[in-house]
Amino acid sequence: YAFVGSVRCVQGTAPDFMFYETAVMLASFLTLGRYLEANAKGRTSEAIKKLVGLQPKRATILGDGRDIEVAVEEVQVDDLILVKPGEKIPADGVVVAGQSYVDESMITGEPVPALKEAGQKVVGGTLNKNGSLTFKATRVGKD
């Protein structure tokens, strides 16, 4: 249809109006949509990289009556982990001793720190605010 209309325009036999602006606007909207999608994907990738960067590098494991500081990669399921005030929680788990407020805003978006006590779950990468917690790891690493 567009080719025939173009030929008729060149010959001078076309009607007074052709809807070329519709095709141009459609192409423009498609291009804009692709640009916005690529931009959103880029921002999402950056946000995921920042979340990965929030993970702590070291953890304190309780074992044999002493504290052993190890790399986070060495933490295993069912390890007892001690988290002191101001430290990041190195793995997901369940609190077995202690009480503290934990800043989970990077996970939940909630601006107020949540009180964590024995029996409650903690999430890796969150920040322990004011008390010491001992918890049993339930999910570690890429789990």
Side-chain angles (χ1 to χ4, degrees):
Y1 176 75
F3 177 72
V4 173
S6 297
V7 170
R8 289 182 66 196
C9 280
V10 171
Q11 293 174 346
T13 59
D16 290 340
F17 56 90
M18 294 293 292
F19 294 104
Y20 287 118
E21 73 275 359
T22 304
V24 170
M25 290 302 292
L26 181 61
S28 298
F29 280 129
L30 289 173
T31 304
L32 177 64
R34 288 182 183 146
Y35 168 75
L36 293 174
E37 180 182 8
N39 195 10
K41 283 182 182 178
R43 284 195 309 250
T44 302
S45 296
E46 289 175 20
I48 290 172
K49 288 177 185 174
K50 285 181 183 177
L51 277 176
V52 169
L54 291 175
Q55 184 178 10
K57 308 293 184 238
R58 313 267 319 148
T60 305
I61 297 177
L62 299 178
D64 300 330
R66 58 191 168 110
D67 300 348
I68 305 166
E69 190 166 319
V70 297
V72 171
E73 295 81 19
E74 296 177 29
V75 173
Q76 297 178 3
V77 174
D78 293 332
D79 279 349
L80 284 178
I81 301 171
L82 174 66
V83 182
K84 298 173 185 164
E87 292 182 346
K88 291 182 182 176
I89 296 174
D92 294 355
V94 178
V95 177
V96 294
Q99 178 181 9
S100 180
Y101 284 92
V102 177
D103 182 1
E104 298 178 330
S105 61
M106 67 279 300
I107 305 296
T108 64
E110 181 67 34
V112 179
L115 179 63
K116 298 296 181 178
E117 300 174 307
Q120 292 186 313
K121 293 182 179 180
V122 290
V123 179
T126 55
L127 182 64
N128 183 22
K129 286 293 205 176
N130 61 349
S132 292
L133 291 175
T134 300
F135 71 96
K136 181 182 262 189
T138 57
R139 293 176 61 196
V140 296
K142 295 184 179 180
D143 291 343

